[in-house]
Every structure is written in C-alpha cells, then in structure tokens.
Amino acid sequence: MSRTGALATRWLGVGLAACLAVTTIALWLTGRLALYVNPDSAWFAIGMAVVALVGSVATFALPLGAEADHGHDHEHGHAPAPALARREAFAHADHAHADAADAHDHDAHEHLAARPRLTPAGIAAFSGGLIASGAVVAVLLTPPAALSAELAVSRDVGAPPLFVGADVITLAASGDTSKFGIGDWAAVFAHATNPETFDGKPVTLTGFITPGQDGATFDLTRLVITHCVIDAQTARLPISANGAAPATGQWVTVTGTVRSSGDGALEVRADQVATIDQPTDPYEY
C-alpha cells in the first residue's frame, strides 16, 4: 500500500472516530452535550467517546500501512492479495509476439501492471469516504445549536405523541401536575377521554411559538427527546390568548389554565405570555 493510501485508510478509520470523540468530550466539558443527547444517556456517549479516543491514540503504535497486512506473510508461502496477484499475472503473462520481448515491452507491461484499476467498489469507497469526511468536518466547524422551530413544524405529522404512557394521563387527572411539561400535556390533550376532568388545571409552561391550529391564537411547542436529537418528536399545545401572537420561533412562558371547549377539546387559556430568551436546555425529555 502506498503512503497516501495508508494515510487515507487511517483517516477514514481512527481519524474520523477521534474527531467525533473529541467533539463529544468538548461538548460535555462545556455543558452543551444536552443539545444533542438526553442527559440520562450522556454517560454512554461520553464513555464511548473516551474508549474511541484511547483506541485512536493506541493506533500510533502501529506502523503506517500495517492495517493492510491483515496478518499475512506473503514471503512464507501465502498467496498474494487478489489485486496484486492479477497485476503480477498480467505483468508476467506470456503473450504471443512475432518478435522477442524487448526492454520497451517489459516497461509497458510493468506500467500497466502498476496502474490502479477503477472499479465500482473503489468509486463507492471514495464517495463514502468523501461524504463521511465532509460530515465530520461540518460537525467540527458548525457551532452547537438547538433544533429550529421550522424543523419542529416539519417533524409534526399530526399523530398523537408517543413518549408518555397512560400513567401520565392518570396523574394529570388526580395528581400533581406542577412538573408537567408540554410533552406531558400534549399527550393528555391527545388521549384524554374525559376532557372535563382537566378543566381548571393551572399551568406554567415554556416553549416556542408556532402557528396556531384549529382556531388557537398560537401553539406552544417543544421538542421532546428520548435518546438524542435524531428521535426528537414535536409536542404542541393550542393556546388561546388576548392580543396578537408573538413571532414564530420566539420563546415564551405561558401562565394560564387548561379549559375544555364545547366540542370536548382541550386548550390553554393564557393569562400571561412573557417573552424570554431560549433556555440553556431547550428540550424536554
């Protein structure tokens, strides 16, 4: 394997892994890992990052290009690699010539034997490596940021939330709801069979503004994460308030009361809508 090929192989393996590991550890040290991973699962991400970084450092004990040997010793009876075998066979093939082979013929055969072959597998490997490298470089250069309101709206497919169970609805009907978030109440609004049970419940909720549906002044929205941002789900509550709605994407704290409308639906009647900056932890879990 050439030096360039060995460097490319090492970059696509331990190089990319080390970059992602360092990024994960840096996010954890700066308190921004929660922008990507549920804090309850952060220990796993951090542990794997440390393991990957230690393994990457350990690879420097291997000579450059050693990963291509695969433990074979070609000088002791083992067959050469398929690509090398083909090149050797081609370079030493006994082609029929009218004249005896001369130095020019020998040089031409050596040149053809050494020329790399363009194959679909090689093209796929190069393309995959280029995409992977671009993704990792983008991660390194892009500052950490929460998912946007536009993305939250695009992920909302109108289906009931899936991140809570029946116990949340039972608790909302008879227990303390002071710690309920938008995700909890969104599940209650979607699955409650007796909406009047929740009429009059006080709420204080923080989220960002999205366009209102079904006659609501606006929807109060939050992204709810189970493990990481890849599985983020959109939770939204209809808010009825006096006056115009704040701009889409603006973070607010709504203080009000859950009310049951005449058609059996639930909404939050807002007594106060206070604009705020984006919280340090913008998700619910």
Coordinates of all heavy atoms in Angstrom, one line a residue, residues 31-130:
G31 N -20.8 21.8 28.8 CA -22.2 21.8 29.2 C -23.1 21.9 28.0 O -24.3 22.2 28.3
R32 N -22.7 21.6 26.8 CA -23.6 21.7 25.7 C -24.0 20.4 25.0 O -24.6 20.3 24.0 CB -23.0 22.6 24.6 CG -22.8 24.0 25.1 CD -22.1 24.9 24.0 NE -20.7 24.5 23.8 CZ -19.9 25.1 23.0 NH1 -20.3 26.1 22.2 NH2 -18.6 24.6 22.8
L33 N -23.6 19.3 25.7 CA -23.9 17.9 25.1 C -25.4 17.7 25.1 O -25.9 17.0 24.3 CB -23.2 16.8 25.9 CG -23.3 15.4 25.4 CD1 -22.7 15.4 24.0 CD2 -22.6 14.4 26.3
A34 N -26.2 18.4 26.0 CA -27.6 18.2 26.1 C -28.3 18.8 24.9 O -29.5 18.5 24.6 CB -28.2 18.9 27.3
L35 N -27.6 19.5 24.0 CA -28.2 20.0 22.8 C -28.3 18.8 21.8 O -29.1 18.9 20.8 CB -27.3 21.1 22.1 CG -27.3 22.4 22.9 CD1 -26.3 23.3 22.2 CD2 -28.7 23.0 22.9
Y36 N -27.7 17.7 22.0 CA -27.7 16.6 21.1 C -28.1 15.3 21.7 O -28.6 14.4 21.1 CB -26.3 16.4 20.5 CG -25.8 17.6 19.8 CD1 -24.9 18.5 20.4 CD2 -26.3 17.9 18.5 CE1 -24.5 19.6 19.7 CE2 -25.8 19.1 17.8 CZ -24.9 19.9 18.5 OH -24.5 21.1 17.8
V37 N -27.9 15.1 23.1 CA -28.1 13.8 23.7 C -28.9 14.0 25.0 O -28.7 15.0 25.7 CB -26.8 13.1 24.1 CG1 -27.0 11.8 24.8 CG2 -26.0 12.9 22.8
N38 N -29.9 13.2 25.3 CA -30.6 13.2 26.5 C -29.6 13.0 27.7 O -28.8 12.1 27.7 CB -31.6 12.0 26.6 CG -32.5 12.0 27.8 OD1 -32.1 12.5 28.8 ND2 -33.7 11.5 27.6
P39 N -29.6 13.9 28.7 CA -28.7 13.9 29.8 C -28.7 12.5 30.5 O -27.6 12.1 31.0 CB -29.2 15.0 30.7 CG -29.9 16.0 29.8 CD -30.5 15.1 28.8
D40 N -29.8 11.8 30.5 CA -29.8 10.5 31.1 C -29.0 9.5 30.3 O -28.6 8.4 30.8 CB -31.2 10.0 31.2 CG -32.0 10.8 32.2 OD1 -31.4 11.4 33.1 OD2 -33.3 10.8 32.2
S41 N -28.7 9.7 29.0 CA -28.0 8.8 28.2 C -26.6 9.4 27.9 O -25.8 8.7 27.2 CB -28.7 8.6 26.8 OG -30.0 8.1 27.0
A42 N -26.2 10.5 28.5 CA -24.9 11.2 28.2 C -23.8 10.3 28.6 O -22.7 10.3 28.0 CB -24.9 12.5 28.8
W43 N -23.9 9.6 29.7 CA -22.8 8.7 30.2 C -22.4 7.7 29.2 O -21.2 7.5 29.1 CB -23.3 8.0 31.5 CG -24.4 7.0 31.3 CD1 -25.7 7.3 31.4 CD2 -24.2 5.6 30.9 NE1 -26.4 6.1 31.1 CE2 -25.5 5.1 30.8 CE3 -23.1 4.8 30.7 CZ2 -25.8 3.8 30.4 CZ3 -23.4 3.5 30.3 CH2 -24.7 3.0 30.2
F44 N -23.3 7.2 28.4 CA -22.9 6.2 27.4 C -22.1 6.9 26.3 O -21.1 6.4 25.8 CB -24.2 5.6 26.8 CG -23.9 4.5 25.8 CD1 -23.5 3.3 26.1 CD2 -24.1 4.8 24.4 CE1 -23.2 2.3 25.1 CE2 -23.8 3.9 23.4 CZ -23.4 2.6 23.8
A45 N -22.6 8.0 25.8 CA -21.9 8.8 24.7 C -20.5 9.2 25.2 O -19.6 9.0 24.4 CB -22.7 10.0 24.3
I46 N -20.4 9.7 26.4 CA -19.1 10.1 26.9 C -18.2 8.9 27.1 O -17.0 8.9 26.7 CB -19.2 10.8 28.2 CG1 -20.1 12.1 28.0 CG2 -17.9 11.1 28.8 CD1 -20.6 12.7 29.3
G47 N -18.7 7.8 27.6 CA -17.9 6.6 27.8 C -17.3 6.0 26.5 O -16.2 5.7 26.3
M48 N -18.2 6.0 25.5 CA -17.8 5.5 24.1 C -16.8 6.5 23.5 O -15.9 6.0 22.8 CB -19.0 5.3 23.2 CG -19.9 4.2 23.6 SD -19.1 2.5 23.6 CE -18.7 2.3 25.3
A49 N -16.9 7.8 23.7 CA -16.0 8.7 23.2 C -14.6 8.5 23.8 O -13.6 8.6 23.1 CB -16.5 10.2 23.5
V50 N -14.6 8.3 25.1 CA -13.3 8.1 25.7 C -12.6 6.8 25.2 O -11.4 6.8 24.9 CB -13.4 8.0 27.3 CG1 -12.1 7.5 27.9 CG2 -13.9 9.3 27.8
V51 N -13.4 5.7 25.1 CA -12.9 4.5 24.5 C -12.3 4.7 23.1 O -11.2 4.2 22.7 CB -13.9 3.4 24.5 CG1 -13.5 2.1 23.8 CG2 -14.3 3.0 26.0
A52 N -13.1 5.4 22.3 CA -12.7 5.6 20.9 C -11.4 6.5 20.8 O -10.5 6.2 20.0 CB -13.8 6.3 20.1
L53 N -11.3 7.5 21.7 CA -10.1 8.3 21.7 C -8.9 7.6 22.2 O -7.8 7.7 21.6 CB -10.3 9.5 22.6 CG -9.3 10.6 22.6 CD1 -9.2 11.2 21.1 CD2 -9.7 11.8 23.5
V54 N -9.0 6.7 23.2 CA -7.9 5.9 23.7 C -7.5 4.9 22.6 O -6.3 4.8 22.3 CB -8.3 5.2 25.0 CG1 -7.2 4.1 25.3 CG2 -8.5 6.1 26.1
G55 N -8.4 4.3 21.9 CA -8.1 3.4 20.8 C -7.4 4.1 19.7 O -6.5 3.5 19.1
S56 N -7.8 5.3 19.4 CA -7.2 6.1 18.3 C -5.8 6.4 18.6 O -4.9 6.3 17.7 CB -8.0 7.4 18.0 OG -9.3 7.1 17.7
V57 N -5.5 6.8 19.8 CA -4.1 7.1 20.2 C -3.3 5.8 20.2 O -2.1 5.9 19.8 CB -4.1 7.7 21.7 CG1 -2.7 7.8 22.2 CG2 -4.8 9.1 21.7
A58 N -3.9 4.7 20.6 CA -3.1 3.4 20.6 C -2.7 3.0 19.2 O -1.7 2.3 19.0 CB -3.9 2.3 21.2
T59 N -3.4 3.4 18.2 CA -3.1 3.0 16.8 C -1.7 3.6 16.3 O -1.2 3.1 15.3 CB -4.2 3.4 15.8 OG1 -4.3 4.9 15.8 CG2 -5.5 2.8 16.1
F60 N -1.2 4.7 17.0 CA 0.0 5.2 16.6 C 1.2 4.3 16.9 O 2.3 4.5 16.4 CB 0.3 6.6 17.3 CG -0.5 7.7 16.7 CD1 -1.7 8.0 17.3 CD2 -0.1 8.4 15.6 CE1 -2.5 9.1 16.8 CE2 -0.8 9.4 15.1 CZ -2.0 9.8 15.7
A61 N 0.9 3.2 17.7 CA 1.9 2.2 17.9 C 2.1 1.3 16.7 O 3.1 0.6 16.6 CB 1.6 1.4 19.1
L62 N 1.2 1.3 15.7 CA 1.3 0.5 14.5 C 2.0 1.3 13.4 O 1.7 2.5 13.2 CB -0.1 0.1 14.0 CG -0.9 -0.8 14.9 CD1 -2.3 -1.0 14.3 CD2 -0.3 -2.2 15.0
P63 N 2.9 0.7 12.7 CA 3.5 1.3 11.5 C 2.5 1.7 10.5 O 1.4 1.1 10.3 CB 4.5 0.3 11.0 CG 4.6 -0.7 12.1 CD 3.4 -0.7 12.9
L64 N 2.7 2.8 9.8 CA 1.8 3.3 8.8 C 1.6 2.3 7.7 O 2.6 1.8 7.1 CB 2.2 4.6 8.2 CG 1.3 5.4 7.3 CD1 0.0 5.7 8.1 CD2 1.9 6.6 6.7
G65 N 0.4 1.8 7.4 CA 0.2 0.8 6.4 C 0.1 -0.6 6.9 O -0.2 -1.5 6.2
A66 N 0.3 -0.8 8.2 CA 0.3 -2.1 8.8 C -1.1 -2.7 8.7 O -1.3 -3.9 8.7 CB 0.7 -2.1 10.2
E67 N -2.2 -1.9 8.7 CA -3.5 -2.4 8.7 C -3.8 -3.1 7.4 O -4.8 -3.9 7.3 CB -4.5 -1.2 8.9 CG -4.4 -0.1 7.8 CD -3.5 1.0 8.2 OE1 -2.7 0.7 9.1 OE2 -3.5 2.0 7.6
A68 N -3.0 -2.9 6.3 CA -3.2 -3.6 5.0 C -2.7 -5.0 5.0 O -3.0 -5.8 4.1 CB -2.6 -2.8 3.9
D69 N -1.9 -5.4 6.0 CA -1.2 -6.7 6.0 C -2.2 -7.8 6.4 O -2.0 -8.9 6.0 CB 0.0 -6.7 6.9 CG 1.1 -5.8 6.4 OD1 1.1 -5.6 5.2 OD2 2.0 -5.4 7.2
H70 N -3.2 -7.5 7.3 CA -4.2 -8.5 7.7 C -3.5 -9.7 8.3 O -4.0 -10.8 8.3 CB -5.1 -8.9 6.6 CG -5.8 -7.8 5.9 ND1 -6.7 -7.0 6.6 CD2 -5.7 -7.3 4.7 CE1 -7.1 -6.1 5.8 NE2 -6.5 -6.2 4.6
G71 N -2.3 -9.6 8.8 CA -1.6 -10.7 9.5 C -1.0 -11.7 8.5 O -0.6 -12.8 9.0
H72 N -1.0 -11.5 7.3 CA -0.4 -12.4 6.3 C 1.0 -12.2 6.1 O 1.5 -11.0 6.1 CB -1.2 -12.3 4.9 CG -2.6 -12.6 5.0 ND1 -3.1 -13.9 5.3 CD2 -3.7 -11.9 4.9 CE1 -4.4 -13.9 5.3 NE2 -4.8 -12.7 5.1
D73 N 1.8 -13.2 5.8 CA 3.2 -13.1 5.5 C 3.4 -13.7 4.1 O 3.4 -14.9 3.9 CB 4.0 -13.9 6.5 CG 5.5 -13.7 6.3 OD1 5.8 -13.0 5.3 OD2 6.3 -14.3 7.1
H74 N 3.4 -12.8 3.1 CA 3.5 -13.2 1.7 C 4.8 -13.9 1.4 O 4.9 -14.6 0.3 CB 3.2 -12.1 0.8 CG 1.9 -11.4 1.0 ND1 0.7 -12.1 0.9 CD2 1.5 -10.1 1.2 CE1 -0.3 -11.3 1.1 NE2 0.2 -10.1 1.3
E75 N 5.8 -13.8 2.2 CA 7.1 -14.3 1.9 C 7.2 -15.8 2.4 O 8.2 -16.4 2.2 CB 8.2 -13.5 2.5 CG 8.3 -12.1 1.9 CD 9.4 -11.3 2.5 OE1 10.1 -11.9 3.4 OE2 9.6 -10.1 2.1
H76 N 6.2 -16.3 3.0 CA 6.3 -17.7 3.5 C 5.1 -18.5 3.1 O 4.5 -19.2 3.8 CB 6.3 -17.6 5.1 CG 7.5 -16.9 5.7 ND1 7.6 -15.6 5.8 CD2 8.6 -17.5 6.1 CE1 8.8 -15.3 6.3 NE2 9.4 -16.4 6.5
G77 N 4.9 -18.5 1.8 CA 4.0 -19.4 1.2 C 2.6 -19.0 1.0 O 1.8 -19.7 0.4
H78 N 2.2 -17.8 1.5 CA 0.8 -17.4 1.4 C 0.6 -16.8 0.0 O 1.5 -16.1 -0.5 CB 0.4 -16.4 2.5 CG 0.4 -17.1 3.9 ND1 -0.8 -17.7 4.3 CD2 1.3 -17.2 4.9 CE1 -0.6 -18.2 5.5 NE2 0.7 -17.9 5.9
A79 N -0.6 -16.9 -0.5 CA -0.9 -16.4 -1.8 C -1.0 -14.8 -1.6 O -1.5 -14.3 -0.6 CB -2.2 -16.9 -2.3
P80 N -0.6 -14.1 -2.6 CA -0.7 -12.6 -2.6 C -2.1 -12.2 -2.6 O -3.0 -13.0 -3.0 CB 0.1 -12.2 -3.8 CG 0.1 -13.4 -4.7 CD 0.1 -14.6 -3.9
A81 N -2.4 -10.9 -2.3 CA -3.7 -10.4 -2.4 C -4.2 -10.5 -3.8 O -3.5 -10.4 -4.7 CB -3.7 -8.9 -1.9
P82 N -5.6 -10.6 -4.0 CA -6.1 -10.8 -5.3 C -5.7 -9.7 -6.3 O -5.3 -10.0 -7.4 CB -7.6 -10.8 -5.1 CG -7.8 -11.2 -3.7 CD -6.6 -10.7 -2.9
A83 N -5.8 -8.4 -5.9 CA -5.4 -7.4 -6.8 C -3.9 -7.5 -7.2 O -3.6 -7.3 -8.4 CB -5.7 -6.0 -6.2
L84 N -3.0 -7.8 -6.2 CA -1.6 -7.9 -6.5 C -1.4 -9.1 -7.4 O -0.6 -9.1 -8.3 CB -0.8 -8.0 -5.2 CG 0.7 -8.1 -5.4 CD1 1.2 -6.9 -6.2 CD2 1.3 -8.3 -4.0
A85 N -2.1 -10.2 -7.2 CA -1.9 -11.4 -8.0 C -2.3 -11.2 -9.4 O -1.6 -11.6 -10.4 CB -2.8 -12.5 -7.4
R86 N -3.4 -10.4 -9.6 CA -3.8 -10.1 -11.0 C -2.8 -9.3 -11.7 O -2.5 -9.5 -12.9 CB -5.2 -9.4 -11.0 CG -6.4 -10.2 -10.7 CD -7.7 -9.6 -11.0 NE -7.8 -8.3 -10.3 CZ -8.4 -8.2 -9.1 NH1 -8.9 -9.3 -8.5 NH2 -8.5 -7.1 -8.5
R87 N -2.2 -8.3 -11.0 CA -1.2 -7.4 -11.6 C 0.1 -8.2 -12.0 O 0.7 -8.0 -13.0 CB -0.8 -6.3 -10.6 CG -2.0 -5.3 -10.5 CD -1.6 -4.2 -9.5 NE -2.7 -3.3 -9.3 CZ -2.6 -2.3 -8.4 NH1 -1.6 -2.1 -7.7 NH2 -3.7 -1.5 -8.3
E88 N 0.5 -9.1 -11.0 CA 1.6 -9.9 -11.3 C 1.4 -10.9 -12.5 O 2.3 -11.1 -13.4 CB 2.0 -10.7 -10.1 CG 2.6 -9.9 -9.0 CD 2.9 -10.7 -7.7 OE1 2.6 -11.9 -7.7 OE2 3.5 -10.1 -6.8
A89 N 0.2 -11.5 -12.5 CA -0.1 -12.4 -13.6 C -0.1 -11.6 -15.0 O 0.4 -12.1 -16.0 CB -1.5 -13.0 -13.4
F90 N -0.7 -10.4 -14.9 CA -0.7 -9.6 -16.2 C 0.7 -9.2 -16.6 O 1.0 -9.3 -17.8 CB -1.6 -8.4 -16.0 CG -1.8 -7.6 -17.2 CD1 -2.7 -7.9 -18.2 CD2 -1.1 -6.4 -17.4 CE1 -2.8 -7.2 -19.3 CE2 -1.2 -5.6 -18.5 CZ -2.1 -6.0 -19.5
A91 N 1.5 -8.8 -15.6 CA 2.8 -8.3 -15.9 C 3.7 -9.4 -16.5 O 4.6 -9.1 -17.3 CB 3.4 -7.6 -14.7
H92 N 3.5 -10.6 -16.1 CA 4.3 -11.7 -16.5 C 3.6 -12.7 -17.5 O 4.1 -13.8 -17.6 CB 4.8 -12.5 -15.3 CG 5.6 -11.6 -14.3 ND1 5.1 -10.9 -13.3 CD2 7.0 -11.4 -14.3 CE1 6.0 -10.3 -12.7 NE2 7.2 -10.5 -13.2
A93 N 2.5 -12.2 -18.0 CA 1.8 -13.1 -19.0 C 2.7 -13.3 -20.2 O 3.4 -12.5 -20.6 CB 0.5 -12.5 -19.3
D94 N 2.5 -14.5 -20.7 CA 3.3 -14.9 -21.9 C 2.4 -14.7 -23.1 O 1.7 -15.5 -23.6 CB 3.7 -16.4 -21.8 CG 4.6 -16.8 -23.0 OD1 5.1 -15.9 -23.6 OD2 4.8 -18.0 -23.2
H95 N 2.5 -13.4 -23.6 CA 1.7 -13.0 -24.8 C 2.5 -13.4 -26.1 O 3.7 -13.4 -26.1 CB 1.4 -11.5 -24.8 CG 0.6 -11.0 -23.7 ND1 -0.7 -11.3 -23.6 CD2 0.9 -10.3 -22.6 CE1 -1.2 -10.8 -22.5 NE2 -0.2 -10.2 -21.8
A96 N 1.7 -13.8 -27.1 CA 2.4 -14.2 -28.3 C 2.8 -12.9 -29.1 O 2.0 -12.1 -29.4 CB 1.4 -15.0 -29.1
H97 N 4.1 -12.9 -29.4 CA 4.6 -11.8 -30.2 C 5.4 -12.4 -31.3 O 6.0 -13.5 -31.2 CB 5.6 -10.9 -29.4 CG 4.9 -10.1 -28.3 ND1 4.1 -9.0 -28.6 CD2 4.8 -10.3 -26.9 CE1 3.6 -8.6 -27.4 NE2 4.0 -9.3 -26.4
A98 N 5.4 -11.6 -32.4 CA 6.2 -12.1 -33.5 C 7.7 -12.0 -33.2 O 8.5 -12.8 -33.7 CB 5.8 -11.3 -34.8
D99 N 8.0 -10.9 -32.5 CA 9.4 -10.7 -32.1 C 9.6 -11.0 -30.6 O 8.7 -11.0 -29.8 CB 9.8 -9.3 -32.4 CG 9.6 -8.9 -33.9 OD1 9.9 -9.8 -34.7 OD2 9.2 -7.8 -34.2
A100 N 10.8 -11.2 -30.3 CA 11.1 -11.5 -28.9 C 10.9 -10.2 -28.1 O 11.1 -9.1 -28.6 CB 12.6 -11.9 -28.7
A101 N 10.5 -10.4 -26.8 CA 10.2 -9.2 -26.0 C 11.4 -8.4 -25.7 O 12.5 -9.0 -25.5 CB 9.6 -9.7 -24.6
D102 N 11.3 -7.1 -25.8 CA 12.5 -6.3 -25.6 C 12.2 -5.4 -24.4 O 11.2 -5.6 -23.7 CB 12.7 -5.4 -26.8 CG 11.5 -4.5 -27.2 OD1 10.6 -4.5 -26.4 OD2 11.5 -4.0 -28.3
A103 N 13.1 -4.5 -24.1 CA 13.0 -3.7 -22.9 C 11.8 -2.8 -22.9 O 11.1 -2.6 -21.9 CB 14.3 -2.8 -22.7
H104 N 11.4 -2.3 -24.1 CA 10.2 -1.5 -24.2 C 9.0 -2.3 -23.8 O 8.1 -1.8 -23.1 CB 10.1 -1.0 -25.7 CG 8.8 -0.2 -25.9 ND1 8.6 1.1 -25.4 CD2 7.7 -0.5 -26.5 CE1 7.4 1.5 -25.7 NE2 6.8 0.5 -26.4
D105 N 8.9 -3.5 -24.3 CA 7.7 -4.4 -23.9 C 7.7 -4.6 -22.4 O 6.6 -4.5 -21.8 CB 7.8 -5.7 -24.6 CG 7.6 -5.6 -26.1 OD1 6.9 -4.6 -26.5 OD2 8.2 -6.4 -26.9
H106 N 8.8 -4.8 -21.8 CA 8.9 -5.1 -20.4 C 8.4 -3.8 -19.6 O 7.6 -3.9 -18.7 CB 10.3 -5.4 -20.0 CG 10.5 -5.6 -18.5 ND1 10.0 -6.8 -17.9 CD2 11.0 -4.8 -17.6 CE1 10.3 -6.7 -16.6 NE2 10.9 -5.5 -16.4
D107 N 8.9 -2.6 -20.0 CA 8.5 -1.4 -19.3 C 7.0 -1.2 -19.5 O 6.3 -0.7 -18.6 CB 9.2 -0.2 -19.9 CG 10.7 -0.3 -19.6 OD1 11.0 -1.0 -18.6 OD2 11.5 0.4 -20.2
A108 N 6.4 -1.5 -20.7 CA 5.0 -1.3 -20.9 C 4.2 -2.2 -20.0 O 3.2 -1.8 -19.4 CB 4.6 -1.5 -22.4
H109 N 4.6 -3.4 -19.9 CA 3.9 -4.4 -19.0 C 3.9 -3.9 -17.6 O 2.9 -4.0 -16.8 CB 4.5 -5.8 -19.2 CG 3.9 -6.5 -20.4 ND1 3.0 -7.5 -20.3 CD2 4.2 -6.3 -21.7 CE1 2.7 -8.0 -21.5 NE2 3.4 -7.2 -22.4
E110 N 5.1 -3.5 -17.1 CA 5.2 -3.0 -15.7 C 4.3 -1.8 -15.5 O 3.7 -1.7 -14.4 CB 6.7 -2.7 -15.4 CG 7.6 -3.9 -15.4 CD 7.3 -4.8 -14.2 OE1 6.7 -4.3 -13.2 OE2 7.5 -6.0 -14.3
H111 N 4.3 -0.9 -16.4 CA 3.4 0.3 -16.3 C 1.9 -0.1 -16.1 O 1.2 0.4 -15.3 CB 3.6 1.2 -17.4 CG 2.7 2.4 -17.4 ND1 2.8 3.4 -16.5 CD2 1.6 2.7 -18.2 CE1 1.8 4.3 -16.8 NE2 1.1 3.9 -17.8
L112 N 1.5 -1.0 -17.0 CA 0.1 -1.4 -16.9 C -0.2 -2.2 -15.7 O -1.3 -2.1 -15.1 CB -0.2 -2.3 -18.2 CG -0.3 -1.6 -19.5 CD1 -0.4 -2.6 -20.6 CD2 -1.4 -0.5 -19.5
A113 N 0.8 -3.0 -15.2 CA 0.5 -3.8 -14.0 C 0.4 -2.9 -12.8 O -0.3 -3.2 -11.8 CB 1.7 -4.8 -13.8
A114 N 1.2 -1.8 -12.8 CA 1.2 -0.9 -11.6 C 0.0 0.1 -11.6 O -0.3 0.7 -10.6 CB 2.5 -0.1 -11.5
R115 N -0.6 0.3 -12.8 CA -1.7 1.3 -12.9 C -2.9 0.8 -12.0 O -3.4 -0.3 -12.2 CB -2.1 1.5 -14.3 CG -3.0 2.7 -14.5 CD -3.3 3.0 -16.0 NE -3.8 1.8 -16.7 CZ -4.0 1.8 -18.0 NH1 -3.7 2.8 -18.7 NH2 -4.5 0.7 -18.5
P116 N -3.4 1.7 -11.2 CA -4.6 1.3 -10.4 C -5.8 1.1 -11.2 O -6.0 1.7 -12.2 CB -4.8 2.5 -9.4 CG -4.1 3.6 -10.1 CD -3.0 3.1 -10.9
R117 N -6.6 0.1 -10.8 CA -7.8 -0.2 -11.5 C -9.0 0.5 -11.0 O -9.2 0.6 -9.8 CB -8.1 -1.8 -11.4 CG -7.0 -2.6 -12.1 CD -7.2 -4.1 -11.7 NE -8.5 -4.6 -12.1 CZ -8.8 -5.1 -13.3 NH1 -7.9 -5.1 -14.2 NH2 -10.1 -5.5 -13.5
L118 N -9.8 1.1 -11.9 CA -11.0 1.9 -11.5 C -12.2 0.9 -11.4 O -12.6 0.4 -12.4 CB -11.3 3.0 -12.4 CG -12.4 4.0 -12.1 CD1 -12.0 4.7 -10.8 CD2 -12.6 5.0 -13.2
T119 N -12.7 0.6 -10.2 CA -13.8 -0.4 -10.0 C -15.0 0.3 -9.3 O -14.8 1.3 -8.7 CB -13.3 -1.6 -9.2 OG1 -13.0 -1.1 -7.9 CG2 -12.1 -2.2 -9.9
P120 N -16.2 -0.3 -9.5 CA -17.3 0.3 -8.8 C -17.1 0.3 -7.2 O -17.5 1.2 -6.6 CB -18.5 -0.7 -9.1 CG -18.0 -1.2 -10.5 CD -16.6 -1.3 -10.4
A121 N -16.5 -0.8 -6.7 CA -16.2 -0.8 -5.3 C -15.3 0.4 -4.9 O -15.5 1.0 -3.8 CB -15.6 -2.1 -4.9
G122 N -14.3 0.6 -5.7 CA -13.3 1.7 -5.4 C -14.0 3.1 -5.4 O -13.8 3.9 -4.6
I123 N -14.9 3.3 -6.4 CA -15.7 4.5 -6.5 C -16.6 4.7 -5.3 O -16.7 5.8 -4.8 CB -16.5 4.5 -7.9 CG1 -15.5 4.5 -9.1 CG2 -17.4 5.7 -7.9 CD1 -16.2 4.4 -10.4
A124 N -17.2 3.6 -4.9 CA -18.1 3.7 -3.8 C -17.4 4.0 -2.5 O -17.8 4.8 -1.7 CB -18.9 2.4 -3.6
A125 N -16.2 3.4 -2.3 CA -15.4 3.7 -1.2 C -14.9 5.1 -1.1 O -15.0 5.7 -0.1 CB -14.2 2.7 -1.1
F126 N -14.5 5.6 -2.3 CA -14.0 7.0 -2.3 C -15.2 8.0 -2.0 O -15.0 8.9 -1.2 CB -13.5 7.3 -3.7 CG -13.1 8.7 -3.9 CD1 -11.8 9.2 -3.4 CD2 -13.9 9.6 -4.6 CE1 -11.5 10.5 -3.6 CE2 -13.5 11.0 -4.7 CZ -12.3 11.4 -4.2
S127 N -16.4 7.7 -2.6 CA -17.5 8.6 -2.4 C -18.0 8.5 -0.9 O -18.2 9.6 -0.3 CB -18.7 8.1 -3.3 OG -18.3 8.2 -4.7
G128 N -18.0 7.3 -0.3 CA -18.4 7.2 1.1 C -17.4 7.9 2.0 O -17.8 8.6 2.9
G129 N -16.1 7.8 1.7 CA -15.1 8.5 2.5 C -15.2 10.0 2.4 O -15.0 10.7 3.4
L130 N -15.5 10.5 1.2 CA -15.7 11.9 1.0 C -16.9 12.4 1.8 O -16.8 13.5 2.4 CB -15.8 12.2 -0.5 CG -15.6 13.6 -1.0 CD1 -14.2 14.1 -0.7 CD2 -15.9 13.8 -2.4

